């Protein structure tokens, strides 16, 4: 379980994502990546090793997109390399996904998807989820419906963030047994696997409840329970300063991770 960041709003997504991933570096990771979305398409950049390697790849590019997702990976399925690094995309490069956790039933999902003509690029469990969302998108022709339907098929633990050219100003988020914080501010809406990634931008935060789904738009977030019923958001003003938030209630980062 490592780091996730997501953003959609008025501002430029890349600095928000990179900054957030930096704040999550203390958790350790073996590779990092981002995808940015607009109506022209998805652009994904990944690098094995430190976040500074990813920074070298993105820093001199024109990347003004307002929606994106980022990831630092701690490999559980497949070696640490560029192909296994997240985000993972579908074959038409229209849907991109980052995942923290382990999809326990990925073997049977992969089998079903391969039987339906899907070709896998990586050794990860996570890649099955992006193809599964594609599979349901083809059936329902609607990203929100496809995302919610795909999440219902998953067993195991997951923090998921998904973006798509089919809904270029939206971040789809779900979590089970893996942490996920949501945020809302002047510039847009945010998600991250831990609060320090967001505190630079907003203090209006909430925890996504286990099993719930969030749909982030530039100026609001819709919440749903596992059955798809809409829920009311319950925001709180985060009171701590950044240093404290990094290890709130624990003496060390390791202790904090064990509590989580
Ligand atoms: N199980 C996934 C993988 O091996 C996600 C690992 C993580 O949580 O970073 O790619």
């Amino acid at each position: 379980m490592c780091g996730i960041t997501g953003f959609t709003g008025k501002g430029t997504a890349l600095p928000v994502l990179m900054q957030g991933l930096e704040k999550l570096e203390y958790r350790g990771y073996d590779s990092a990546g981002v995808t940015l979305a607009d109506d022209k398409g998805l652009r994904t950049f990944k690098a094995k090793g430190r976040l500074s390697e990813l920074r070298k790849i993105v820093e001199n590019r024109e990347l003004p997109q307002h929606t994106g997702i980022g990831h630092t990976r701690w490999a559980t399925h497949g070696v640490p390399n560029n192909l296994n690094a997240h985000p993972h995309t579908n074959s038409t490069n229209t849907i991109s996904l980052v995942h923290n956790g382990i999809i326990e039933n990925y073997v049977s999902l992969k089998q079903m998807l391969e039987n339906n003509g899907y070709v896998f690029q990586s050794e990860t469990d996570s890649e099955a989820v992006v193809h599964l969302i594609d599979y349901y998108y083809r059936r329902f022709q609607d990203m929100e419906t496809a995302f919610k339907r795909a999440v219902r098929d998953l067993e195991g633990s997951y923090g998921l963030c998904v973006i798509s050219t089919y809904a270029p100003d939206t971040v789809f988020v779900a979590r089970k047994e893996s942490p996920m914080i949501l945020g809302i501010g002047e510039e847009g809406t945010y998600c991250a696997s831990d609060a320090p990634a967001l505190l630079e931008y907003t203090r209006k935060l909430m925890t996504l409840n286990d099993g719930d789904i969030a749909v982030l738009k530039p100026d609001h977030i819709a919440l749903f329970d596992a059955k798809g019923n809409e829920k009311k958001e319950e925001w709180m003003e985060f009171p701590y300063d950044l240093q404290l938030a990094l290890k709130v209630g624990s003496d060390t980062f390791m202790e904090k991770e064990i509590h989580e």
Side-chain angles (χ1 to χ4, degrees):
M1 185 215 293
C2 265
I4 280 186
T5 54
F7 173 77
T8 185
K10 288 188 280 199
T12 310
L14 184 65
V16 179
L17 303 175
M18 293 298 290
Q19 222 284 123
L21 292 178
E22 259 166 39
K23 292 286 187 298
L24 301 175
E25 272 195 298
Y26 72 88
R27 302 175 78 96
Y29 60 98
D30 54 57
S31 54
V34 290
T35 297
L36 301 162
D38 61 19
D39 47 11
K40 294 191 211 71
L42 299 181
R43 300 197 64 189
T44 298
F45 305 95
K46 310 186 199 190
K48 189 181 162 199
R50 310 299 302 167
L51 213 47
S52 52
E53 298 302 315
L54 179 63
R55 198 173 276 290
K56 278 186 215 155
I57 295 171
V58 293
E59 72 189 349
N60 290 321
R61 292 174 194 261
E62 187 76 15
L63 295 168
Q65 293 88 338
H66 301 287
T67 302
I69 51 177
H71 190 260
T72 46
R73 176 176 188 238
W74 189 294
T76 64
H77 292 66
V79 295
N81 62 19
N82 262 19
L83 222 50
N84 290 334
H86 299 214
H88 293 287
T89 48
N90 62 338
S91 65
T92 51
N93 197 32
T94 48
I95 304 172
S96 181
L97 162 139
V98 291
H99 165 229
N100 278 167
I102 295 174
I103 303 300
E104 308 279 2
N105 61 336
Y106 85 99
V107 174
S108 60
L109 291 174
K110 186 171 178 179
Q111 189 79 63
M112 181 284 278
L113 290 160
E114 282 178 338
N115 292 343
N116 280 279
Y118 285 86
V119 177
F120 282 65
Q121 307 292 336
S122 78
E123 305 161 301
T124 65
D125 50 335
S126 315
E127 190 185 347
V129 185
V130 78
H131 297 310
L132 189 64
I133 297 167
D134 178 285
Y135 173 81
Y136 284 121
Y137 182 80
R138 286 174 198 213
R139 187 193 293 178
F140 298 117
Q141 296 295 306
D142 175 70
M143 262 308 287
E144 188 171 321
T145 312
F147 180 74
K148 288 177 179 166
R149 183 61 194 82
V151 167
R152 266 171 44 198
D153 288 354
L154 304 181
E155 289 165 20
S157 59
Y158 50 81
L160 292 173
C161 279
V162 171
I163 55 174
S164 171
T165 53
Y166 302 129
D169 65 345
T170 311
V171 183
F172 300 93
V173 184
R175 80 124 173 160
K176 198 175 134 229
E177 291 156 32
S178 188
M180 189 69 76
I181 310 286
L182 307 176
I184 190 160
E186 291 289 301
E187 288 289 299
T189 59
Y190 307 78
C191 63
S193 51
D194 202 0
L198 304 184
L199 292 176
E200 194 91 5
Y201 302 99
T202 180
R203 281 171 187 250
K204 201 169 167 187
L205 304 178
M206 61 174 284
T207 301
L208 183 63
N209 282 341
D210 207 50
D212 284 0
I213 285 174
V215 178
L216 278 57
K217 296 280 186 186
D219 57 358
H220 72 276
I221 295 181
L223 283 184
F224 303 90
D225 66 17
K227 294 196 177 107
N229 302 314
E230 195 148 5
K231 294 176 70 172
K232 202 174 145 27
E233 322 99 279
E234 285 173 19
W235 296 106
M236 57 171 199
E237 285 295 325
F238 200 88
Y240 302 100
D241 74 16
L242 196 55
Q243 252 342 86
L244 218 56
L246 278 165
K247 43 182 193 167
V248 64
S250 315
D251 290 337
T252 63
F253 294 135
M254 189 189 289
E255 203 187 307
K256 179 173 183 286
E257 282 241 279
I258 292 166
H259 284 310
E260 283 172 1

